[in-house]
Structure formats: C-alpha cells, structure tokens
Amino acid sequence: MNTILVIGGSRYFGKSLVTKARDAGHEVTLLNRGSSAPPSGVDRLVADRDDEEALRAALGGRTFDTVVDQVCYTPRQAAVARRVFAGRTGRYVMTSTMEVYDPATLPAPTAGGDPAPVTEDSLDPLRAEALQGSGPAFEYADGKRRAEAVFLRDPVFPYVSVRTAHVLGGGAADFTGRLAHYTERIAAGTPVDIHQAPYATSFIHHTEIADLLYWAAGQSFTGPVNAASHGALDARELSELVAERVGRRPRYRVVGEGVEASPFSFDRAYAMDNTRAASLGFDFGRVSDWLPAAIAEAASVYAVPEAASVQPSPARRSSGVATDELLTLKTTLPAR
C-alpha cells in the first residue's frame, strides 16, 4: 500500500487516519469540498463527491492503491463512487456504522435473556431494502445499508465495509457531544433519560477506529467487519462511570415506549461481535481501559463539576456551539 485516497477525513478520527497514513510513509491524498486544508505533507483534491463529472475532473488520471471513503451516506453516492473509481483503485474501504443492524433482523435472546452480540452475517445488505421505517435515525441507517449494497452488487473492486461502533474520546474533537451529554447532565444534577431496562451497546475509541481503518486499508480480506472494543456497556453503567469522575451521583428519568432517551440508551439489542476483525489480526482494546480517560477529557472541556447548573465553558463558547444544541445531539450523527 503506497497511495491512499481518503474521501472526507477532515475531522475527528478521519483526520487521525490521514495523519497516521502520512506518518507511516504513504502518499496520502485527501478529497473534500475545500472546507478545510489538509495536514502538511498531504495532497488535496477539491470536488463535490455528488457531482460525478466534477469528481472525474478533479481526479484526472490518478489511480490509488486504496480508497478509504469516510463520508458515503447514500446509495447515490456509492453508485457515483463505484463508477468513478472502477479501474482507479485496487481496494475500497467504506466507513459504515453499527446502525445498519435493524433490530428486526437480529438474533433472538439467549437462554439467559441477554441478546447475543450481532455478527456481520446478521445483515445481508442486498436484501435490506425490504426494511421499513421513518425518521432521521432510520434514514441514516438505511442510507448506509443501501450504500453497502451498491458496492456489493456486481463488485468492480475489492470492497470492505467497516461497521463502526459508537466512537468516543478526544474531548472537544468529539463534535457529536454525546459523551458531553452525560458529563454535563450528571455534573449539573439534571436527569439522564433512559429506558426502563436499557440494553448494552458497543463503543470504540477514536484512535482505535483510525487504527482499524488504516489496518483494513492494507489487508486483503473483503466484506463487512464489525469495529468495536471489547466490552459493552448500557446507559446506566456509562452514567455510573461518569459519576465517578464528576463526583456526583447520577439521576435517572425513565422514558416511555417510543420516547427519545439519552444517547446510548436502547430498548433493543445493540451490541456487536468483533470476532471477525480480531480473527483477521486486529488487536482490539477494552472499553474499560480507555473510557475513564475519555470521560475525563469530556468533563475537562465541557462539564462544571459538582455544579447546580451548567454554563457554557470558555471552550464551549469559543466553539460557537450552544450547550442546548450539544445536549440534543443523538446517536444518528455520523462521527467522521
């Protein structure tokens, strides 16, 4: 692997992927709409990926050993990429999401009552078009499922989809505000909205998913891989860990059926099995090892420990993002 094109990759773990590949000595090119400059030593192409002719023009005669697609959200975007990069790359890695696993398709709970972590073969993207739903969360997941299907149907290059768990860590770099939701609410004594019996879900550190994408770019396997650190947590367990850091006991408010809860609180099976990637050679970390530091990062940037109310910190004010806006961000936001 010598030449790598990263589509997107201008923030959070996508940016870490770009710098990691550059520092390893690869020739890295970043393709985006020109909203941000690439790191030093990284080439850039400017184009709107939705505009097929503009994309072709920006690429010119370039070819790449690997393309890592950080921002493919729809089947149309996948179809454009499939046409444009056919014959231009020897490998295509799409950053997908655990959201593609619709609960209606998941295995039944085990005898002990806990659902088994979902494996890659629990979803066939080529048959997922029959799934029905509405709302932003469904539309995001359905777009990813259908995008995967475009690449899998009559493949024109070796293709991998990395179905990433919820990405945490990085403090202010984590623009989704999902962990900040917990640190702020618990520090302020504001209730955390959860389901009556929330199911555990999967997480991965922002540097770990960058490592996995870089690793996947240089391998020879194809098909989907789940990307999740070892160890799943439910919303109560996460809240208890946050409480240890901010020094205040969490308060909970149970939501009814169909009512939105805090990020990472789920009323359905929502943990992934990472056996395939591990068996292929990727060494996952454990959530219990990195989450305390990630919580500390979020608390130091956003939270006011043991306060009766939370006011925007200097870091928050300078970011131009209001506290209320971050508190309402949900798991449907892509963390790229």
Side-chain angles (χ1 to χ4, degrees):
M1 182 175 59
N2 297 307
T3 58
I4 305 172
L5 175 70
V6 180
I7 306 175
S10 59
R11 60 179 176 174
Y12 205 23
F13 64 83
K15 187 174 182 179
S16 298
L17 166 66
V18 169
T19 56
K20 182 178 182 67
R22 177 204 62 188
D23 293 347
H26 301 293
E27 181 182 328
V28 184
T29 301
L30 181 67
L31 188 149
N32 60 25
R33 291 177 293 182
S35 57
S36 59
S40 62
V42 174
D43 195 10
R44 179 173 65 168
L45 300 176
V46 177
D48 183 342
R49 65 165 306 152
D50 291 321
D51 185 334
E52 184 168 346
E53 293 308 311
L55 181 56
R56 288 184 186 276
L59 290 168
R62 292 187 183 220
T63 61
F64 304 92
D65 295 311
T66 305
V67 174
V68 182
D69 192 344
Q70 286 282 90
V71 289
C72 185
Y73 300 123
T74 68
R76 182 182 182 279
Q77 290 176 334
V80 168
R82 182 181 177 279
R83 290 191 295 268
V84 170
F85 288 101
R88 289 182 185 268
T89 185
R91 185 168 179 79
Y92 202 98
V93 178
M94 171 188 161
T95 303
S96 189
T97 174
M98 68 186 300
E99 310 283 348
V100 297
Y101 295 114
D102 187 277
T105 70
L106 299 184
T110 61
D114 294 326
V118 63
T119 61
E120 290 86 352
D121 59 8
S122 298
L123 171 72
D124 179 359
L126 296 175
R127 304 182 63 182
E129 294 180 357
L131 297 175
Q132 301 295 319
S134 61
F138 177 84
E139 290 170 4
Y140 171 63
D142 198 50
K144 287 287 191 180
R145 282 190 291 265
R146 291 171 184 260
E148 286 193 27
V150 169
F151 289 120
L152 289 170
R153 189 180 293 113
D154 190 22
V156 295
F157 35 59
Y159 163 74
V160 175
S161 59
V162 176
R163 295 171 180 168
T164 181
H166 306 296
V167 183
L168 296 180
D174 178 3
F175 66 92
T176 68
R178 295 176 295 187
L179 190 53
H181 175 101
Y182 284 85
T183 60
E184 291 191 326
R185 285 191 169 230
I186 293 172
T190 303
V192 176
D193 293 336
I194 62 171
H195 295 91
Q196 181 66 44
Y199 281 109
T201 189
S202 295
F203 299 94
I204 192 166
H205 193 260
H206 70 106
T207 61
E208 187 173 26
I209 186 57
D211 289 345
L212 189 144
L213 287 164
Y214 174 73
W215 167 80
Q219 301 297 305
S220 60
F221 69 86
T222 59
V225 288
N226 290 339
S229 299
H230 297 303
L233 294 174
D234 64 35
R236 285 183 182 272
E237 292 169 327
L238 176 60
S239 295
E240 295 298 326
L241 289 172
V242 171
E244 291 178 11
R245 171 59 179 79
V246 302
R248 188 165 192 169
R249 297 297 307 156
R251 296 173 56 209
Y252 300 107
R253 179 168 54 204
V254 175
V255 301
E257 184 176 352
V259 178
E260 279 194 311
S262 292
F264 314 133
S265 182
F266 298 100
D267 59 357
R268 61 191 189 277
Y270 221 66
M272 291 194 301
D273 185 308
N274 64 9
T275 300
R276 184 176 190 229
S279 66
L280 287 166
F282 189 79
D283 186 18
F284 286 102
R286 299 197 64 83
V287 173
S288 58
D289 290 336
W290 57 257
L291 184 55
I295 292 171
E297 287 174 327
S300 67
V301 173
Y302 297 123
V304 181
E306 301 181 280
S309 62
V310 176
Q311 299 297 322
S313 67
R316 174 65 59 74
R317 287 194 294 269
S318 66
S319 72
V321 181
T323 299
D324 288 344
E325 290 174 330
L326 280 181
L327 291 180
T328 58
L329 288 171
K330 300 301 180 182
T331 58
T332 55
L333 286 177
R336 304 290 176 261

